[in-house]
Amino acid sequence: MSKFNKDKVMQRYLIIAVLLALVGVAVIAKAGYTMTAKKSYWETVAERQKSDSTAIPSRRGNILSCDGQLLAGSIPEYKIFMDFQAGDKEDTAWTHKRDTLWYENLDTLCEGLHRIFPDWTAERFKARLEEGRSKVITNSRTGVKTVGARHWAVWPKRISYSTYCEVAELPFFNLPPNKGGFHFEKFASRTRPFGSLAERTLGDIRSFEGGQDTARFGLELYYDSILRGKNGVQRKEKVLNTIQPIVVMPPVDGADIVTTIDVGMQDLAEEALVDELKKWNASMGVTILMEVKTGDVKAIVNMRRGSDGEYHETYNDAISYRCEPGSVFKVASFLVALDDGVVDTSYVIHTGCGIMPMHGAKMKDHNWHRGGYGDINVARALEVSSNIGVSYVIDKFYGSNPRRYVEGLYRVGIGEDLKLHINGYLPPNIRMPNTTTTNRAEYWSKTTLPWMSIGYETQIAPINTVTFYNAIANNGRMMRPRFVKQFVKDGEVIEELQPEVIKEQIAKPSTIATMQTILRHVVSQGLGKKAGSHSFQVSGKTGTAQVAKAGGYKNGMVEYWLSFCGYFPSDDPQYTCIVCLKKAGLPASGGSMSGAVFHKISEGVMAKKLKLRVQDAADSLSVFVPDVKTGDAAAANYVLSKLNINANDLHLADAQTEENVMPNAVGMGARDAVYLLERQGIKVQLHGMGHVKRQSVAAGTALHPGMVCVLELEQ
């Protein structure tokens, strides 16, 4: 065994280490040289490199009504451009030819553009194009200057596909893009065939340069990932000296969504609301129509008066405008009291002359100046919307434990967070008792409970109120408001969104039944008569609340939030509806103003649902079997069979005549008359059109060979 020589091994390691160090230094030196001395060269190379992969945009899905009508869909729009440096710069022959073609066709091109876009003259188009052609472009990296804009807008606005096709047929623009330079950018534009109908609920998209669209609000935003789909990928490859796009991954188009919106009901609700807003010069209005059993929102209208004096959908106030709801809230207060068993409908309240002191403040009924209601029971207190009646009961039985009352409000569902499947929703703000906080907005005073019981000191959006009333109409079952029921792709349902139950029972069945009776009496014999109908029963409750403007109540700057919420028909509830109006000054009545809109909507909806039997339209005196005259029985049988009439019952037969005797053809049609006479060997001549009026040879005349009979016809 040889002895290990340490000195020789260390020399070898030293040599290897030196070599590796030299290689490392060389790599660093080369990198530094490339980054400094060769920087401009490689930047020029990078400038020439183009990505060979581009995105293939997917088709955005449509938004449909509950019966399949198109509410929102995508159509392509285009912006047109010129690249004045198109083509191979080294191909001087083509460059010269292109310049020649440009000047030969420029005037004709501009005249054609003026014909398609009459807002600009041909001279303006010519100046625009010449400006782009002579524009000097400086490369920001290399500083190299070239003449001719690369992406010069021919027309500043987007155009439709049909208009683009017209432009592409113009001289010079009809050359290939890599030769002439005419090219386009494609955008996905959203169109709504029914205009602004349910605009804030459906939503909108905004397209930016490059074709990228961005959902902005409503269902478009909430279901954006489903509607958008997924873009594909294509790669450009050179095939026989031409660049061909090769699809690597095809795009996945977005799915269509089927909403619960009914176009007819939406249009009806919008028209009824806008008419009332104009009548009273109101500043804002909201209407929601909901199907009782499913919670489907059939119509939702949000109107605000614009600077032009007209009404537009600018905010989705139905789901986001939280305010003090007013007297429609009294139903929730009494539902809690009735369900807790602290009172029943016979409990008598001494409202006096319409003014009652409460913890240092005055609670007033709306008729206090007429002497008030005196002694009334709980049921009557809701019928006439007595502030004293409701606040006295709640303060008396819950004053020592207000938390129990507020917990009851959440139990019956008026304070429920609905977790709507649409952007912009704000849940109710019903605060729990708190006497220790320094935050004035959260502080709970002695007057908080009685005023909360009549619809103040809380903030609730209309969608929560109508959902609560819908639960009463649905015998206590609270349904989540549903805006979309299906996702559809290529005609196939890919997902069904079932109705969702939020609360199986908001109160005892007996309590719900009692409240249903009271709400029916509110309309039949209370303040809600304007919302009623002579054709069917309506149940509901009125509401009027003061809303302070800038300066507060004391300065007299007061607006009113007027509402009516109810359902119809009372005996078999099909729809629940809320109508809210916001107006300044008097008169202000939720029953007569909002109730009038409710009346129009309920009458219109029920009229559309009427289905008459076909038998009811039949005329009892009409004859369903036609009168068939003597003639060609085969032809008559054919016609009768098409009318589903049994010809055998009529005992039809070919016309029978005596031999060698002229038959009677008067009254027959021309075809049957000719058939009858020619069977007897008679030559027939026709004058006129229609049925036979007279014949030249009288019936019963003996026949002879070659006889001619002239038939005169008339209509």
Side-chain angles (χ1 to χ4, degrees), residues 60 204-208 212-216 221 224 228:
R60 190 175 181 86
D204 194 13
I205 62 172
R206 176 178 292 168
S207 295
F208 297 93
Q212 181 66 32
D213 56 50
T214 302
R216 299 174 60 196
L221 178 57
D224 183 53
R228 181 182 297 277

Side-chain angles (χ1 to χ4, degrees), residues 268-435:
L268 170 67
E270 183 173 315
E271 182 179 358
L273 180 64
V274 171
D275 286 347
E276 198 71 11
L277 290 172
K278 291 180 178 178
K279 179 179 178 180
W280 299 107
N281 194 30
S283 60
M284 189 175 85
V286 168
T287 295
I288 307 171
L289 181 66
M290 181 182 291
E291 195 171 65
V292 170
K293 301 301 181 184
T294 62
D296 286 358
V297 177
K298 311 305 291 185
I300 177 169
V301 185
N302 304 273
M303 289 294 169
R304 288 196 182 193
R305 187 176 57 218
S307 57
D308 58 356
E310 297 298 321
Y311 293 91
H312 311 279
E313 288 217 356
T314 53
Y315 298 94
N316 202 339
D317 294 309
I319 67 172
S320 62
Y321 187 75
R322 294 189 303 189
C323 65
E324 296 173 320
S327 296
V328 292
F329 192 83
K330 294 174 181 176
V331 174
S333 294
F334 266 178
L335 191 66
V336 172
L338 291 170
D339 200 48
D340 285 343
V342 297
V343 293
D344 57 23
T345 55
S346 63
Y347 182 84
V348 177
I349 307 156
H350 307 288
T351 66
C353 63
I355 302 177
M356 178 179 286
M358 273 192 182
H359 307 292
K362 290 182 179 180
M363 181 67 70
K364 294 182 179 181
D365 278 337
H366 66 91
N367 69 335
W368 64 272
H369 57 285
R370 295 195 299 270
Y373 288 109
D375 293 348
I376 56 176
N377 60 26
V378 166
R380 186 61 180 166
L382 272 186
E383 291 175 13
V384 297
S385 195
S386 170
N387 292 335
I388 295 175
V390 177
S391 60
Y392 174 82
V393 168
I394 299 303
D395 189 62
K396 177 179 176 61
F397 293 101
Y398 295 95
S400 61
N401 186 11
R403 177 173 290 273
R404 182 187 177 197
Y405 165 73
V406 178
E407 289 174 347
L409 292 177
Y410 281 96
R411 184 182 71 244
V412 300
I414 190 67
E416 187 75 21
D417 183 353
L418 301 178
K419 296 181 173 61
L420 297 183
H421 298 167
I422 187 172
N423 291 86
Y425 167 68
L426 294 177
N429 181 16
I430 303 177
R431 53 201 172 96
M432 284 290 182
N434 189 345
T435 58

Side-chain angles (χ1 to χ4, degrees), residues 102-115 122 170-171:
W102 172 258
Y103 286 110
E104 285 179 353
N105 293 282
L106 182 58
D107 291 337
T108 305
L109 172 63
C110 294
E111 288 292 340
L113 289 171
H114 167 64
R115 175 177 53 80
L170 295 176

Side-chain angles (χ1 to χ4, degrees), residues 46-60:
E47 187 83 15
R48 294 199 301 265
Q49 301 302 312
K50 294 184 179 179
S51 174
D52 62 349
S53 295
T54 57
I56 307 175
S58 59
R59 184 191 67 83
R60 190 175 181 86

Side-chain angles (χ1 to χ4, degrees), residues 537-564:
Q537 283 190 321
V538 172
S539 300
K541 179 70 182 73
T542 63
T544 303
Q546 293 184 2
V547 182
K549 294 179 66 176
Y553 295 109
K554 294 182 180 180
N555 292 340
M557 302 295 290
V558 178
E559 286 188 316
Y560 293 90
W561 182 254
L562 314 174
S563 54
F564 183 91

